[in-house]
């Protein structure tokens, strides 16, 4: 594969080249990995930056229809939009979010849109690296907005927030008791809470939900990288498209302020450091993932399990075996 | 230090020897570590097993008074009781649970009791290893029950559950809305929920709380290692001592059943494997914790941070530097 040629075609915005490039970064093969790193370096000098938007919401809040409506809205503003999905459970469940071809039908037909389902990979570390590398490839390809979609499961939200400039939490209208369902950790990383389905018979409930969350957000500690009035809660309807311009205005306002105040660059730098350290940890732990290491671990494990060897001593023996 | 002599004195049940042995396993020094491992091996052949009881509860539920009352109850049954505290936050907060000398005043004066506060150690991995090694030393010293106390913070509960035979969750009587405060993950590892302060004006509230949790426990998926009727919720009073015999009866019933059904041994074996793998991971990651490695990481980090080096490439360079 001619990596320089592929890089040029990614930079020229060819969608098929971009798809191929992402397939390359997703591969687990060692030779593909070397090519992927070379590709990322060949596309990096463009220095293009998209607005990276992380988006989370549990099943049922209308994530697909929201992305479809919001993506179309952005395209109508003359912007190019990429959508990437992160679903760490897809390997287990067999399915994957965005895997359904009927999702986002209108958006997927736009020439200024690029939609990529979650790969079937079991390991969270692998999913994280693949996704952030796919994000930078989308940036190199000239996309203005990269939406990184995830489900509200496990640690995937924190992971997505660590690679996004803005983090949106999409919620459905709900009564008082159900409010407890949002994990505190998610409230703390959200920049914008969008209450979807603010239309028809649910509009009143949506208004109350929105007011409740606005109140809850005010109780949280102020973050240095938030201007006055943020984080905030807004209502949207993926069906009537009400609230989409206001939501986008809030996002650009927040992004502009963070750029002007230096928080944008600082955060991207901190995120890069985070991923460097994360990759380093994963790389170190990968020495345990060879046939020899696994055989050794199993042999020691059998002795630990029957009580003839202590966990502490077994770990020491394994480290000695690895010459560490 | 004569390790064989120390081991003999631990096995003879000398409390000062046990205290010294625990200090040794808590030490971060490399020469102490080698001695600690030798000590653990010298005390292991006795094969003594205590009932290891993990106990969690947020501040305010009356954990100290419960342990004092429950510990005294066990001593009155002719049992020897050790209490170990796990507080991963103690290094940060400067204080430590069990650090206050006035806590458990009566229990601490008993010759059949041994109380050990949480060491001031920052790293969760270090706290975990120290605690499980201290537990095995208490077993070697002939204690019948080892209570491992933790606060309901972060991952310390999961960690304690991974080294306990039974896990108790201590709660205070509370009204309907406050029930939401218990993390779902904790409900799933609890074998017994004890609603404390079931005395005086709070008794009625305690009864309602207990019934609510009993209902909640029934909604959870059945675990293979639970007999009929478990996990269960009971009321206790650390002040009047009401409910303590019933709580202890439930614990021994559960422990006996698990022993008879083979779950006890299976679980201890699985826990040993868990700690072996955990120690191995920590040992591997410790190669990043040398002055040279830290300097190299900082140098690479500076380039990642200013955008002249990708996170992926930086990790590769660091792994090459470490010859991994």
């Amino acid at each position: 594969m001619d990596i320089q040629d592929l890089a040029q075609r990614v930079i020229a915005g060819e969608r098929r080249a971009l798809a191929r490039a992402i397939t390359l970064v997703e591969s687990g093969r060692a030779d593909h990995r070397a090519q992927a790193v070379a590709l990322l370096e060949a596309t990096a000098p463009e220095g293009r930056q998209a607005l990276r938007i992380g988006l989370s919401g549990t099943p049922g809040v209308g994530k697909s229809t929201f992305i479809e409506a919001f993506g179309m809205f952005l395209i109508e503003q003359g912007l190019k939009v990429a959508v990437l999905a992160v679903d760490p459970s897809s390997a287990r469940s067999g399915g994957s979010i965005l895997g359904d071809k009927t999702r986002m039908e209108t958006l997927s037909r736009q020439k200024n849109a690029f939609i990529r389902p979650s790969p079937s990979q079991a390991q969270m570390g692998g999913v994280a690296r693949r996704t952030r590398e796919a994000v930078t490839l989308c940036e190199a390809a000239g996309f203005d907005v990269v939406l990184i979609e995830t489900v509200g499961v496990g640690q995937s939200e924190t992971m997505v927030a660590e690679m996004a400039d803005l983090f949106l939490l999409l919620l459905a209208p709900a009564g008082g008791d159900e409010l407890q369902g949002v994990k505190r950790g998610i409230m703390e990383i959200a920049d914008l809470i969008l209450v979807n389905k603010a239309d028809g018979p649910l509009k009143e409930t949506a208004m109350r939900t929105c007011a409740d969350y606005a109140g809850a957000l005010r109780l949280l500690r102020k973050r240095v990288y938030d201007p006055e009035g943020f984080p905030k809660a807004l209502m949207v309807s993926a069906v009537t498209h009400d609230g989409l311009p206001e939501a986008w205005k809030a996002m650009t306002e927040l992004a502009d302020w963070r750029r002007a105040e230096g928080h944008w660059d600082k955060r991207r730098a901190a995120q890069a450091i985070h991923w460097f350290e994360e990759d380093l940890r994963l790389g170190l732990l990968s020495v345990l993932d060879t046939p020899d290491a696994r055989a050794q671990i199993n042999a020691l494990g059998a002795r630990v399990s029957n009580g003839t060897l202590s966990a502490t001593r077994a770990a020491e023996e394994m480290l000695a075996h690895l010459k560490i």
Side-chain angles (χ1 to χ4, degrees), chain A residues 101-296:
Chain A
K101 296 274 186 209
T102 62
R103 283 186 64 200
M104 309 180 196
E105 223 180 320
T106 315
L107 187 62
S108 63
R109 282 198 303 263
Q110 304 298 312
K111 74 168 175 29
N112 283 334
F114 177 83
I115 299 179
R116 181 84 178 192
S118 186
S120 314
Q121 227 174 322
Q123 214 200 1
M124 184 65 123
V127 173
R129 186 171 68 187
R130 165 266 171 193
T131 308
R132 67 187 158 83
E133 290 178 347
V135 169
T136 60
L137 288 170
C138 291
E139 289 187 312
F143 283 90
D144 302 294
V145 175
V146 180
L147 278 167
I148 315 157
E149 173 193 8
T150 188
V151 283
V153 170
Q155 282 149 1
S156 69
E157 285 157 320
T158 325
M159 188 192 89
V160 167
E162 272 294 347
M163 58 179 78
D165 301 311
L166 301 179
F167 194 80
L168 313 187
L169 176 61
L170 199 67
L171 294 174
D177 284 352
E178 301 163 65
L179 287 184
Q180 309 290 338
V182 174
K183 290 172 281 184
R184 193 179 156 75
I186 301 310
M187 287 286 279
E188 279 162 359
I189 58 174
D191 293 307
L192 207 55
I193 287 180
L194 298 179
V195 181
N196 194 19
K197 304 187 182 177
D199 47 56
L202 284 174
K203 185 148 190 183
E204 285 232 353
T205 315
M207 285 176 69
R208 273 200 310 275
T209 305
C210 190
D212 286 345
Y213 275 100
L217 287 173
R218 276 191 295 273
L219 295 178
L220 294 176
R221 196 162 39 170
K222 183 105 187 125
R223 306 176 302 186
V224 289
Y225 49 88
D226 283 329
E228 200 51 42
F230 282 89
K232 63 169 72 176
L234 295 171
M235 283 186 290
V236 290
S237 165
V239 176
T240 66
H241 297 197
D242 281 342
L244 291 180
E246 291 78 6
W248 176 237
K249 186 168 164 284
M251 292 179 225
T252 49
E253 200 181 304
L254 182 56
D256 289 347
W257 184 85
R258 285 185 181 167
R259 269 197 204 93
E261 298 287 323
H263 295 298
W264 177 286
D265 287 340
K266 237 185 263 175
R267 183 164 162 152
R268 285 224 169 179
Q271 288 177 337
I273 293 284
H274 169 85
W275 292 117
F276 160 42
E277 291 174 352
E278 200 60 25
D279 263 21
L280 189 52
R281 269 192 290 273
L282 283 174
L284 261 178
L285 294 176
S286 72
V287 303
L288 301 178
D289 203 24
T290 65
D292 167 65
R294 277 193 298 266
Q296 197 68 18

